[in-house]
Amino acid sequence: MSTSSNHRSWVASANGHPDFPLQNLPLGVFSRPGLSKRGGVAIGDMILDLRAALEVGFFNGAARDAAEAASRDQLNDFFALGASARQALRSELLHLLDESSPQLARLRPLADSVLHPMAECEMHVPARIGDYTDFYVGIHHAMNVGKLFRPDNPLLPNYKYVPIGYHGRASTICISETAVKRPNGQTLAPGATVPEFGPSKRLDYELEMGVWIGPGNAMGEAIAIGDAAQHIAGFCLLNDWSARDLQAWEYQPLGPFLSKSFATSISAWVVTAEALAPFRRAQPARPEGDPQPLPYLLDAADQQGGALDIELEVLLFTPQMKEQGLAPHRLALSNTQNMYWTVAQMVAHHSVNGCKLQPGDLLGTGTLSGPHAGQFGSLLEMSDGGKNAIALPSGESRRFLENGDEVIFRARCQREGFASIGFGECRGILLGA
Ligand code: MN
């Protein structure tokens, strides 16, 4: 069934919904008072309860098997089934939830038993995340941060050959709206030779996309670049909270450690590759003089349609702004087209040495800044390493985050002739140490 904008749903709030119209149908794991954790699908401001829908006989055939896997208290089993199961479930849902569904007379009386108001539900991390890897494919962020440390040589020589990444911490990945505690750690004050211990004074966010891994590979076997898309189950928003002062002191020679591992926030809904299909783009051409990717990272179809056009937004909401009745303040607007490597290249590179990727593993893209002011995905870049204060409409200013500050990410896809879809929010309030 087509995903063009003229299909409407009998779930009225879906029509014109900024995030979850009929054309999106992202999956997540939710609970409600009296209702245990289970898989669901966002439709307007409602959640379709897959377990309840199965009980009343919503699905048949391949869609039924997919819905059973997706109805559990984690989506790992569903991710493991791969693209054909995802597509079967999606096409059945597009059909069932359409306002012109021939089954409308049967389905409508069931609405109360299968749909829950999203506002009354609690969302959970949608999968058991075995491993989390954070990449660094936002080239403007890499340039901006590189300039702070090496003004004459911002990009290291490996950057245009290797999709740079490091192994992150899965245990502290938390769902949107989870409060995050400012970490303690070692920092080196400017000019000092001996570190001090205490709360981070340079707490930052990083605007990233999360990539959910589907079937994955056996240890010792690489995922070929041409097959990589088959192993990507979907996408979310990801905030890689970063303690810049801890990071500066600890990161050499093995990379980030405690500056990152205290918390990573993700948005609750897994937006599928199928829902994002209309928003695929060609990978932007590399600047003149850049090397071609090595053959194991180069695939014609991936270069032609492996990039995504997703608009990304960062907002800050301080306690004082809330007191003054102000709206959250936009700090940045960026786009996933600022990635130097595609997600397929990230997957192919990650597995090329035989490293095993498993269903429910999570990849972060790295901070997705644009090249210009107003497009920076971290405060480190906005404040030029903490040198410049950022003015807020409340009369306050920030170089880094203060306790009580709430960071909000949003994302949306727009294209003429297609329904816009969004990701829901990735939110987190920073608490004191
Ligand atoms: Mn990061």
Side-chain angles (χ1 to χ4, degrees):
M1 186 170 284
S2 131
T3 53
S4 69
S5 56
N6 51 19
H7 285 274
R8 294 166 57 85
S9 175
W10 52 268
V11 181
S13 63
N15 301 316
H17 194 279
D19 285 328
F20 309 127
L22 177 64
Q23 289 80 0
N24 193 348
L25 303 174
L27 291 110
V29 170
F30 73 100
S31 62
R32 190 184 177 180
L35 212 65
S36 60
K37 270 171 75 173
R38 60 191 57 200
V41 175
I43 175 84
D45 53 22
M46 309 296 276
I47 298 176
L48 176 75
D49 180 334
L50 289 173
R51 200 179 298 177
L54 281 160
E55 278 163 16
V56 297
F58 251 54
F59 305 105
N60 291 299
R64 183 178 172 85
D65 296 341
E68 265 173 4
S71 70
R72 296 174 192 154
D73 63 359
Q74 36 73 20
L75 296 178
N76 298 71
D77 302 335
F78 174 69
F79 290 165
L81 293 177
S84 60
R86 229 171 35 234
Q87 287 155 8
L89 180 58
R90 176 179 174 82
S91 85
E92 187 87 339
L93 285 170
L94 283 170
H95 181 71
L96 292 170
L97 295 173
D98 196 298
E99 70 175 1
S100 58
S101 171
Q103 299 186 60
L104 192 57
R106 176 177 78 88
L107 297 171
R108 205 166 223 157
L110 301 171
D112 282 348
S113 61
V114 299
L115 293 168
H116 305 289
M118 205 177 275
E120 293 173 20
C121 298
E122 185 185 346
M123 299 306 298
H124 303 275
V125 173
R128 286 188 316 268
I129 304 170
D131 278 296
Y132 159 52
T133 304
D134 197 23
F135 281 85
Y136 199 56
V137 307
I139 188 164
H140 303 296
H141 172 76
M143 292 279 275
N144 292 337
V145 172
K147 268 181 210 153
L148 292 173
F149 295 101
R150 298 174 300 277
D152 302 326
N153 182 27
L155 277 189
L156 291 170
N158 58 6
Y159 190 85
K160 293 178 173 175
Y161 291 93
V162 179
I164 301 292
Y166 69 95
H167 290 288
R169 187 76 190 166
S171 62
T172 27
I173 293 175
C174 53
I175 199 72
S176 176
E177 297 184 22
T178 305
V180 167
K181 211 167 115 180
R182 182 183 294 270
N184 283 309
Q186 290 191 29
T187 58
L188 193 67
T193 52
V194 175
E196 56 192 58
F197 179 82
S200 167
K201 297 185 186 77
R202 289 160 70 96
L203 214 289
D204 200 356
Y205 55 81
E206 290 193 337
L207 173 64
E208 306 195 16
M209 294 297 297
V211 181
W212 290 102
I213 295 296
N217 57 311
M219 182 174 169
E221 284 174 23
I223 295 173
I225 179 80
D227 298 333
Q230 298 296 315
H231 297 274
I232 295 164
F235 298 81
C236 64
L237 284 162
L238 185 149
N239 182 353
D240 176 24
W241 301 92
S242 298
R244 301 300 182 191
D245 42 0
L246 274 66
Q247 188 177 355
W249 173 235
E250 75 176 2
Y251 87 103
Q252 286 175 320
L254 285 183
F257 185 31
L258 304 187
S259 56
K260 304 277 193 173
S261 60
F262 61 96
T264 304
S265 299
I266 57 172
S267 58
W269 294 103
V270 180
V271 178
T272 63
E274 289 71 34
L276 289 167
F279 312 104
R280 292 261 165 207
R281 292 290 179 277
Q283 176 65 358
R286 291 189 160 200
E288 189 77 23
D290 281 14
Q292 278 293 295
L294 291 178
Y296 81 95
L297 294 171
L298 190 57
D299 176 76
D302 183 47
Q303 291 296 309
Q304 277 156 29
L308 290 162
D309 178 8
I310 305 172
E311 184 184 78
L312 306 168
E313 186 181 20
V314 183
L315 304 108
L316 183 64
F317 206 15
T318 69
Q320 197 170 318
M321 290 164 69
K322 290 175 188 178
E323 229 165 74
Q324 294 177 10
L326 297 169
H329 175 64
R330 179 194 286 172
L331 291 178
L333 201 59
S334 186
N335 192 289
T336 45
Q337 289 176 100
N338 293 309
M339 290 165 63
Y340 191 76
W341 300 97
T342 67
V343 286
Q345 288 174 319
M346 289 161 52
V347 167
H349 182 68
H350 202 316
S351 65
V352 76
N353 66 342
C355 172
K356 180 178 180 172
L357 301 183
Q358 302 189 90
D361 280 359
L362 185 68
L363 312 183
T365 54
T367 311
L368 297 179
S369 298
H372 305 298
Q375 302 175 340
F376 297 157
S378 69
L379 290 174
L380 183 71
E381 293 165 86
M382 285 189 76
S383 69
D384 197 13
K387 287 198 284 288
N388 305 324
I390 299 147
L392 301 177
S394 51
E396 303 169 276
S397 67
R398 290 288 184 276
R399 288 179 165 83
F400 291 98
L401 297 171
E402 293 188 7
N403 295 344
D405 285 356
E406 186 168 19
V407 177
I408 306 165
F409 294 171
R410 295 179 187 146
R412 70 191 63 76
C413 305
Q414 296 171 96
R415 181 178 167 191
E416 187 68 37
F418 291 83
S420 294
I421 63 170
F423 280 69
E425 290 182 333
C426 177
R427 268 179 189 255
I429 291 191
L430 179 67
L431 304 179

